[in-house]
Structure formats: C-alpha cells, structure tokens
Short mmCIF file of all heavy atoms in Angstrom, two decimals:
data_model
loop_
_atom_site.label_atom_id
_atom_site.label_comp_id
_atom_site.label_asym_id
_atom_site.label_seq_id
_atom_site.Cartn_x
_atom_site.Cartn_y
_atom_site.Cartn_z
N ILE A 61 0.83 -1.16 -0.01
CA ILE A 61 0.02 -0.01 0.05
C ILE A 61 0.89 1.25 -0.02
O ILE A 61 1.93 1.34 0.62
CB ILE A 61 -0.97 0.06 1.17
CG1 ILE A 61 -1.97 0.95 1.06
CG2 ILE A 61 -0.22 0.24 2.50
CD1 ILE A 61 -3.15 0.52 0.21
N ASP A 62 0.47 2.24 -0.78
CA ASP A 62 1.14 3.57 -0.73
C ASP A 62 0.92 4.23 0.52
O ASP A 62 -0.31 4.48 0.86
CB ASP A 62 0.75 4.40 -1.91
CG ASP A 62 1.18 3.88 -3.25
OD1 ASP A 62 2.23 3.19 -3.28
OD2 ASP A 62 0.42 4.00 -4.25
N PRO A 63 1.95 4.68 1.34
CA PRO A 63 1.61 5.27 2.60
C PRO A 63 1.05 6.66 2.39
O PRO A 63 1.51 7.45 1.56
CB PRO A 63 2.99 5.39 3.25
CG PRO A 63 4.05 5.26 2.19
CD PRO A 63 3.35 4.49 1.12
N ARG A 64 -0.01 6.94 3.15
CA ARG A 64 -0.66 8.27 3.13
C ARG A 64 -1.25 8.56 4.55
O ARG A 64 -1.75 7.58 5.20
CB ARG A 64 -1.86 8.31 2.19
CG ARG A 64 -1.43 8.16 0.73
CD ARG A 64 -2.65 8.19 -0.14
NE ARG A 64 -3.08 9.61 -0.28
CZ ARG A 64 -4.14 9.95 -0.94
NH1 ARG A 64 -4.84 9.07 -1.54
NH2 ARG A 64 -4.52 11.25 -0.93
N CYS A 65 -1.20 9.70 5.00
CA CYS A 65 -1.68 10.09 6.38
C CYS A 65 -3.15 9.83 6.44
O CYS A 65 -3.75 9.70 7.53
CB CYS A 65 -1.34 11.42 6.68
SG CYS A 65 0.47 11.74 7.09
N ALA A 66 -3.87 9.83 5.35
CA ALA A 66 -5.33 9.69 5.34
C ALA A 66 -5.75 8.31 5.95
O ALA A 66 -6.82 8.21 6.50
CB ALA A 66 -5.91 9.79 3.90
N TYR A 67 -4.91 7.31 5.80
CA TYR A 67 -5.18 6.01 6.41
C TYR A 67 -4.05 5.46 7.34
O TYR A 67 -3.73 4.28 7.28
CB TYR A 67 -5.67 4.96 5.36
CG TYR A 67 -4.98 4.98 4.08
CD1 TYR A 67 -3.73 4.43 3.81
CD2 TYR A 67 -5.57 5.71 2.94
CE1 TYR A 67 -3.14 4.42 2.55
CE2 TYR A 67 -4.96 5.75 1.72
CZ TYR A 67 -3.77 5.14 1.53
OH TYR A 67 -3.13 5.17 0.34
N CYS A 68 -3.57 6.31 8.12
CA CYS A 68 -2.60 5.98 9.10
C CYS A 68 -3.23 5.86 10.51
O CYS A 68 -4.16 6.54 10.75
CB CYS A 68 -1.42 7.02 9.12
SG CYS A 68 -0.19 6.74 10.41
N GLN A 69 -2.72 4.96 11.27
CA GLN A 69 -3.25 4.83 12.69
C GLN A 69 -3.03 6.14 13.55
O GLN A 69 -3.86 6.41 14.41
CB GLN A 69 -2.58 3.65 13.36
CG GLN A 69 -3.01 2.38 12.88
CD GLN A 69 -2.23 1.21 13.55
OE1 GLN A 69 -1.41 1.51 14.40
NE2 GLN A 69 -2.58 0.04 13.24
N LYS A 70 -2.07 6.90 13.20
CA LYS A 70 -1.72 8.04 14.03
C LYS A 70 -2.48 9.35 13.55
O LYS A 70 -2.31 10.35 14.16
CB LYS A 70 -0.22 8.34 14.06
CG LYS A 70 0.50 7.19 14.63
CD LYS A 70 1.95 7.46 14.64
CE LYS A 70 2.87 6.42 15.20
NZ LYS A 70 2.28 5.32 15.98
N GLY A 71 -3.25 9.18 12.51
CA GLY A 71 -3.92 10.44 11.99
C GLY A 71 -5.43 10.30 11.97
O GLY A 71 -5.96 9.23 12.03
N GLN A 72 -6.07 11.40 12.11
CA GLN A 72 -7.54 11.54 12.04
C GLN A 72 -7.85 12.56 10.97
O GLN A 72 -7.51 13.70 11.04
CB GLN A 72 -8.12 12.01 13.41
CG GLN A 72 -9.53 12.10 13.42
CD GLN A 72 -10.24 10.73 13.29
OE1 GLN A 72 -9.68 9.73 13.80
NE2 GLN A 72 -11.33 10.70 12.65
N GLN A 73 -8.64 12.15 9.94
CA GLN A 73 -9.03 13.00 8.91
C GLN A 73 -9.90 14.14 9.36
O GLN A 73 -10.94 13.92 9.94
CB GLN A 73 -9.64 12.31 7.66
CG GLN A 73 -9.62 13.08 6.45
CD GLN A 73 -9.74 12.21 5.28
OE1 GLN A 73 -9.63 11.06 5.26
NE2 GLN A 73 -9.83 12.79 4.07
N ILE A 74 -9.55 15.36 9.03
CA ILE A 74 -10.34 16.53 9.45
C ILE A 74 -11.32 16.83 8.34
O ILE A 74 -12.56 17.07 8.59
CB ILE A 74 -9.43 17.79 9.69
CG1 ILE A 74 -8.49 17.49 10.80
CG2 ILE A 74 -10.27 19.01 9.99
CD1 ILE A 74 -7.41 18.54 10.97
N ASN A 75 -10.90 16.98 7.16
CA ASN A 75 -11.70 17.30 5.94
C ASN A 75 -11.15 16.49 4.77
O ASN A 75 -10.28 15.59 4.92
CB ASN A 75 -11.89 18.75 5.75
CG ASN A 75 -10.53 19.40 5.51
OD1 ASN A 75 -9.57 18.84 5.02
ND2 ASN A 75 -10.42 20.70 5.93
N GLU A 76 -11.53 16.88 3.59
CA GLU A 76 -11.10 16.13 2.35
C GLU A 76 -9.59 16.34 2.09
O GLU A 76 -9.03 15.48 1.36
CB GLU A 76 -11.95 16.54 1.15
CG GLU A 76 -13.42 16.23 1.29
CD GLU A 76 -14.23 16.89 0.18
OE1 GLU A 76 -13.62 17.69 -0.59
OE2 GLU A 76 -15.40 16.67 0.10
N ARG A 77 -9.02 17.32 2.56
CA ARG A 77 -7.60 17.68 2.20
C ARG A 77 -6.67 17.68 3.41
O ARG A 77 -5.49 17.75 3.19
CB ARG A 77 -7.55 19.12 1.60
CG ARG A 77 -8.35 19.13 0.27
CD ARG A 77 -8.30 20.50 -0.34
NE ARG A 77 -9.01 21.42 0.60
CZ ARG A 77 -8.78 22.66 0.66
NH1 ARG A 77 -7.81 23.26 -0.09
NH2 ARG A 77 -9.47 23.38 1.48
N GLU A 78 -7.18 17.52 4.65
CA GLU A 78 -6.23 17.63 5.81
C GLU A 78 -6.46 16.55 6.83
O GLU A 78 -7.53 16.04 6.95
CB GLU A 78 -6.43 19.05 6.50
CG GLU A 78 -6.07 20.18 5.66
CD GLU A 78 -6.34 21.45 6.34
OE1 GLU A 78 -7.30 21.60 7.09
OE2 GLU A 78 -5.55 22.42 6.16
N VAL A 79 -5.31 16.09 7.45
CA VAL A 79 -5.34 15.08 8.48
C VAL A 79 -4.68 15.72 9.75
O VAL A 79 -3.66 16.37 9.59
CB VAL A 79 -4.60 13.86 7.95
CG1 VAL A 79 -4.49 12.85 9.06
CG2 VAL A 79 -5.26 13.27 6.77
N ALA A 80 -5.25 15.41 10.91
CA ALA A 80 -4.66 15.79 12.17
C ALA A 80 -3.78 14.63 12.62
O ALA A 80 -4.24 13.60 13.02
CB ALA A 80 -5.63 16.13 13.22
N CYS A 81 -2.37 14.80 12.55
CA CYS A 81 -1.49 13.77 12.94
C CYS A 81 -1.00 13.99 14.33
O CYS A 81 -0.77 15.13 14.75
CB CYS A 81 -0.26 13.81 11.92
SG CYS A 81 1.07 12.58 12.38
N VAL A 82 -0.79 12.86 15.04
CA VAL A 82 -0.45 12.96 16.45
C VAL A 82 1.06 13.43 16.47
O VAL A 82 1.41 14.12 17.41
CB VAL A 82 -0.48 11.51 17.05
CG1 VAL A 82 0.16 11.47 18.43
CG2 VAL A 82 -1.88 11.06 17.17
N LYS A 83 1.88 13.11 15.52
CA LYS A 83 3.30 13.50 15.58
C LYS A 83 3.58 14.79 14.82
O LYS A 83 4.53 15.46 15.22
CB LYS A 83 4.10 12.37 14.86
CG LYS A 83 4.03 11.10 15.60
CD LYS A 83 4.62 11.08 16.88
CE LYS A 83 4.55 9.75 17.61
NZ LYS A 83 5.14 9.80 18.99
N HIS A 84 2.90 15.16 13.72
CA HIS A 84 3.21 16.25 12.87
C HIS A 84 2.15 17.38 12.80
O HIS A 84 2.32 18.32 12.14
CB HIS A 84 3.54 15.77 11.51
CG HIS A 84 4.72 14.93 11.46
ND1 HIS A 84 6.01 15.32 11.54
CD2 HIS A 84 4.78 13.57 11.29
CE1 HIS A 84 6.85 14.35 11.44
NE2 HIS A 84 6.19 13.26 11.28
N GLY A 85 1.02 17.19 13.57
CA GLY A 85 -0.04 18.21 13.53
C GLY A 85 -0.91 18.13 12.20
O GLY A 85 -1.16 17.04 11.82
N ILE A 86 -1.30 19.24 11.68
CA ILE A 86 -2.19 19.28 10.54
C ILE A 86 -1.27 19.15 9.36
O ILE A 86 -0.43 19.89 9.08
CB ILE A 86 -2.94 20.64 10.48
CG1 ILE A 86 -3.63 20.93 11.73
CG2 ILE A 86 -3.83 20.61 9.20
CD1 ILE A 86 -4.93 20.05 11.88
#
C-alpha cells in the first residue's frame, strides 16, 4: 500500500484535504 496520512493509525482526517497527525499536527 502507498503510505498516506489519510489511512494511518496516528492520523484523524479533518476534511477532504487535511489530516490531524499525532506526531506532525495538521
């Protein structure tokens, strides 16, 4: 699988273009 923050355990998708990451923020 191609790694993307959209489907990472450490991220939560905010909207269609942004993810809130535990390690790196938005």
